[in-house]
């Protein structure tokens, strides 16, 4: 059994063909798609987070709204950029959203990806400490978040508080038991996957990662997952970790599918620079008739190694079409691969 969810970029555009023309459209349709995905039997609804972009930059209100409209599906992010986050305030909001959902929150966090603006986190009031990079700052914010989510008291109570306090040091409220085990780190390298394992976070690996060996993405990701699981074992954690990979997968079952994605049938990995120092491998898209997809996906080593597959969806094409994309995979592909 493999968990299958969708990952939406939450774009909106006033361009031709877009069915998502405003932030309001993106938010409302994101909720509607999560509801539809739950009805279809999908396991997760995840959303990308980018600041200063026409995308969903405030995920916790969105996830709370989805939680109120659904009852089973996991809801999460892929990923929240911790360079922008106050970990204390984050813990309060995440605790509230998780309680509303009944413990279904799966929060992907990370250092973030290339931005729309230069050093956007500075506009949010954050600066790396002297000698640190912005990546160091993200990891420090993460360390604080993980500690706070454990639920231990750390704050000295006021001797004359507005409201009566329980005995002892106080913790961030609301606290949601178990959320600490449902934090994921979006890793783009073997080293950061090991760092995540050592700190007891689940692993998210996207459609791109640092090109560390020159091999295809799926092979590099499989090795990344192996390194992560070994580090998890070496750290002596007492639960089984979870691992997700993201893929663009389209079962061509109609003329509309072929018109939209038929040209991707011969897609291949690409190599590029995500910044001036980092060479990355970008994963191929899969677009084919269902029987061909089954054969192709059976050879994807990272998908086979992961317990969770996140399908990237073209949200600008609207709820109905994206529900069709998800349903096609769940109906025509997943059973043939033993995922259902």
């Amino acid at each position: 059994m493999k968990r299958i969810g969708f990952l939406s970029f939450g774009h909106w555009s006033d361009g031709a063909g877009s069915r998502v023309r405003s932030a309001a459209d993106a938010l409302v349709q994101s909720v509607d798609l999560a509801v539809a995905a739950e009805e279809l039997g999908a396991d997760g609804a995840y959303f990308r987070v980018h600041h200063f972009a026409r995308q969903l930059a405030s995920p916790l209100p969105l996830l709370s709204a989805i939680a109120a409209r659904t009852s089973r599906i996991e809801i999460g992010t892929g990923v929240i950029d911790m360079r922008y986050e106050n970990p204390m305030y984050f813990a309060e909001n995440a605790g509230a959203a998780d309680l509303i959902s009944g413990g279904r929150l799966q929060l992907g966090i990370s250092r973030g990806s290339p931005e729309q603006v230069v050093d956007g986190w500075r506009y949010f009031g954050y600066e790396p400490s002297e000698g640190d990079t912005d990546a160091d700052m993200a990891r420090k914010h993460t360390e604080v978040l993980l500690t706070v989510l454990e639920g231990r008291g750390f704050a000295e109570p006021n001797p004359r508080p507005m409201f009566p306090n329980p005995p002892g040091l106080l913790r961030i409220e609301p606290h949601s038991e178990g959320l600490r085990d449902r934090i994921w780190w979006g890793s783009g390298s073997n080293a950061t996957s090991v760092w995540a394992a050592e700190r007891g976070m689940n692993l998210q690996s996207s459609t791109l990662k640092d090109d560390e060996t020159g091999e295809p993405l799926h092979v590099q990701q499989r090795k990344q997952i192996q390194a992560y699981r070994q580090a998890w074992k070496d750290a002596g954690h007492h639960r089984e970790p979870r691992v997700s990979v993201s893929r663009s997968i389209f079962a061509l079952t109609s003329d509309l599918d072929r018109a939209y994605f038929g040209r991707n049938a011969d897609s291949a990995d690409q190599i590029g620079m995500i910044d001036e120092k980092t060479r990355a491998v970008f994963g191929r898209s899969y677009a084919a008739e269902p029987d061909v997809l089954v054969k192709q996906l059976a050879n994807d080593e990272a998908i086979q190694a992961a317990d969770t597959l996140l399908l990237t969806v073209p949200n600008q094409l609207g709820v109905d079409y994206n529900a069709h994309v998800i349903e096609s995979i769940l109906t025509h592909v997943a059973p043939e691969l033993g995922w259902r």
Side-chain angles (χ1 to χ4, degrees):
M1 178 73 176
K2 191 182 295 292
R3 291 181 174 92
I4 302 176
F6 72 82
L7 175 62
S8 173
F9 284 72
H11 290 293
W12 66 88
S13 169
D14 54 9
S18 176
R19 292 168 174 80
V20 187
R21 294 180 174 272
S22 68
D25 284 346
L27 290 163
V28 171
Q29 292 193 33
S30 294
V31 176
D32 290 343
L33 181 57
V35 171
E38 179 173 83
E39 293 172 349
L40 292 169
D43 301 300
Y46 288 71
F47 298 89
R48 291 290 301 269
V49 180
H50 287 286
H51 299 285
F52 299 103
R54 289 189 168 191
Q55 288 184 261
L56 304 173
S58 51
L60 290 170
L62 170 63
L63 297 180
S64 296
I66 292 172
R69 291 274 308 278
T70 58
S71 61
R72 179 192 56 79
I73 198 169
E74 293 180 342
I75 50 178
T77 52
V79 291
I80 295 171
D81 189 334
M82 290 303 293
R83 294 175 295 182
Y84 287 78
E85 295 295 329
N86 177 317
M88 300 290 184
Y89 190 48
F90 187 122
E92 291 179 335
N93 282 339
D98 195 46
L99 290 169
I100 292 169
S101 75
R104 291 182 284 135
L105 208 59
Q106 304 284 342
L107 286 180
I109 62 176
S110 190
R111 182 200 66 87
S113 56
E115 302 179 88
Q116 296 297 108
V117 299
V118 176
D119 296 343
W121 30 270
R122 296 186 191 277
Y123 297 99
F124 281 56
Y126 299 111
E127 294 278 349
S129 301
E130 185 174 354
D132 282 352
T133 66
D134 60 315
D136 295 327
M137 178 175 65
R139 286 188 281 269
K140 287 182 177 180
H141 287 181
T142 298
E143 299 269 17
V144 173
L145 173 67
L146 296 176
T147 299
V148 169
L149 288 178
E150 291 173 356
R152 295 193 298 267
F154 61 90
E156 187 71 28
N158 188 337
R160 293 181 293 277
M162 179 175 292
F163 309 108
N165 280 326
L169 299 176
L170 302 183
R171 67 186 183 186
I172 288 290
E173 299 288 358
H175 173 69
S176 185
E177 194 70 35
L179 179 57
R180 169 64 178 81
D181 290 341
R182 286 178 275 112
I183 303 299
W184 304 59
W185 184 258
S187 171
S189 69
N190 289 6
T192 55
S193 70
V194 169
W195 180 86
E198 291 169 346
R199 284 149 186 82
M201 289 185 282
N202 301 307
L203 176 67
Q204 286 184 343
S205 193
S206 183
T207 51
L208 69 99
K209 71 177 294 293
D210 293 359
D211 183 18
E212 300 182 78
T213 66
E215 296 170 294
L217 172 71
H218 72 101
V219 176
Q220 294 198 47
Q221 279 186 319
R222 188 258 300 161
K223 292 181 177 180
Q224 178 190 33
I225 292 168
Q226 288 177 330
Y228 167 80
R229 288 191 169 132
Q230 184 60 53
W232 184 279
K233 180 180 179 181
D234 293 343
H237 300 305
H238 298 297
R239 66 176 178 87
E240 285 297 314
R242 288 184 59 186
V243 174
S244 74
V245 295
S246 304
R247 290 289 185 271
S248 297
I249 305 173
F250 302 99
L252 305 181
T253 63
S254 70
D255 289 340
L256 187 59
D257 295 332
R258 296 179 189 94
Y260 280 143
F261 300 107
R263 70 180 73 90
N264 293 327
D266 298 322
S267 173
D269 288 353
Q270 299 181 33
I271 300 296
M273 302 295 293
I274 58 174
D275 58 39
E276 63 275 8
K277 298 180 180 178
T278 308
R279 173 185 165 100
V281 53
F282 298 77
R284 57 167 296 183
S285 295
Y286 291 96
E289 304 294 325
D291 58 331
V292 176
L293 272 185
V294 168
K295 295 176 182 177
Q296 292 175 339
L297 296 174
N299 292 320
D300 189 307
E301 296 179 16
I303 291 179
Q304 302 311 315
D307 59 78
T308 301
L309 172 63
L310 299 182
L311 305 170
T312 62
V313 296
N315 76 285
Q316 287 177 300
L317 296 179
V319 173
D320 290 344
Y321 186 75
N322 282 288
H324 160 74
V325 168
I326 295 167
E327 183 177 25
S328 294
I329 301 300
L330 295 176
T331 303
H332 301 296
V333 177
E336 297 299 318
L337 288 163
W339 299 346
R340 280 293 186 271

